[in-house]
Amino acid sequence: DNEEKFNQLITHIPETFWIYDIESQRLIYASDDYEKMFGISLEERHRSVDAFLDRVHVDDRNTVRDGIQRQSLGMEAHYEARFNNLDNPGTHWVNIRIYPIYNADGKVYRVAGIASDVTEEKRAQEAMLEMMAQQERISILSTFFRDASHEFITPLSVIKTSAYLMTKTQDLEKHASHVSVIQEQVRGLSDLVDMLVTMSRLDGGVELTLVAVNINTI
């Protein structure tokens, strides 16, 4: 009767469920969707831990390896990792929780594992972060254009004033002085334009070569 109730419970929960025995170091039970969740059958999992790790995204293998180690020791664990399911192309995120099970003597003799697919939640989080980053980007650009406009207005005003004053005098010395002022402002504008071009290039996804440097030499 208890087994029947247990099976009904496990069948109707959306998560994948398994029980791991500490003494035999084997999974003694796994719900039917275990293979669908991890892309590996229970038999393959028993034969080789490496076969299980092969389904894990390379960047998450250390996390999963640590989780498997904690499971074998009967310790609690909670982590997320990306899995590549061969029957369901594409990488999906799995949230895994491990809980110890105690016997009548209060000793951990098994652990229960629960896994749920959180791919959609992760995608929603990524989309939200992308939207926030885009909003931040727009805010930064807006501030930049506002500040840049001031940087252009000042030298242009000086150039305009100097050019106007040159039309009001025939004094060669004053002409030379105004020309010097204009040339100085033009150099400043040229530097500003160069910086804008550089920013545009960097913002265009240019490939950067990163190398280690001694900070003391900078």
Side-chain angles (χ1 to χ4, degrees):
D1 183 60
N2 287 338
E3 183 177 355
E4 177 62 26
K5 290 180 179 179
F6 174 79
N7 287 330
Q8 288 181 13
L9 172 65
I10 297 304
T11 300
H12 290 90
I13 65 173
E15 291 86 2
T16 298
F17 179 81
W18 66 91
I19 297 176
Y20 186 86
D21 184 70
I22 303 299
E23 183 177 353
S24 64
Q25 293 288 296
R26 289 175 62 86
L27 292 172
I28 60 174
Y29 174 85
S31 54
D32 294 338
D33 55 354
Y34 183 91
E35 182 172 356
K36 181 180 179 182
M37 179 67 72
F38 297 113
I40 185 172
S41 67
L42 207 56
E43 291 74 18
E44 290 178 291
R45 169 67 176 82
H46 284 150
R47 284 198 298 269
S48 172
V49 174
D50 290 335
F52 183 83
L53 289 172
D54 285 343
R55 297 293 194 273
V56 181
H57 191 285
V58 63
D59 293 339
D60 297 332
R61 286 179 184 172
N62 287 336
T63 298
V64 174
R65 189 178 285 109
D66 180 67
I68 293 174
Q69 178 68 17
R70 293 180 67 85
Q71 175 177 270
S72 68
L73 297 174
M75 301 171 64
E76 187 171 343
H78 184 193
Y79 58 95
E80 291 182 345
R82 288 161 288 183
F83 284 80
N84 301 306
N85 192 329
L86 300 182
D87 298 325
N88 184 17
T91 301
H92 61 283
W93 281 92
V94 178
N95 181 293
I96 299 172
R97 289 152 289 169
I98 304 294
Y99 302 100
I101 301 175
Y102 298 88
N103 60 18
D105 297 327
K107 180 182 177 181
V108 177
Y109 76 118
R110 292 174 180 171
V111 293
I114 301 175
S116 54
D117 192 314
V118 292
T119 305
E120 293 303 319
E121 290 88 338
K122 283 289 184 179
R123 288 175 179 170
Q125 290 176 8
E126 290 173 358
M128 178 64 70
L129 290 174
E130 179 64 27
M131 184 176 68
M132 292 173 63
Q134 187 66 17
Q135 290 176 341
E136 182 68 13
R137 174 188 172 88
I138 292 172
S139 176
I140 291 173
L141 285 174
S142 176
T143 301
F144 170 77
F145 286 130
R146 183 192 65 208
D147 295 341
S149 65
H150 288 293
E151 294 294 329
F152 277 105
I153 288 173
T154 300
L156 287 173
S157 297
V158 173
I159 291 171
K160 183 178 179 181
T161 301
S162 295
Y164 172 78
L165 293 175
M166 287 176 67
T167 65
K168 299 299 182 179
T169 181
Q170 299 299 319
D171 189 313
L172 294 180
E173 187 175 340
K174 289 183 178 180
H175 265 248
S177 176
H178 291 311
V179 168
S180 178
V181 170
I182 291 173
Q183 289 176 337
E184 181 182 355
Q185 297 302 318
V186 168
R187 281 194 296 270
L189 286 172
S190 180
D191 290 341
L192 189 57
V193 170
D194 287 341
M195 285 189 288
L196 290 174
V197 172
T198 300
M199 286 186 63
S200 177
R201 288 179 56 207
L202 292 174
D203 199 43
V206 63
E207 290 292 330
L208 299 178
T209 301
L210 305 179
V211 295
V213 299
N214 184 349
I215 194 68
N216 296 306
T217 64
I218 299 178

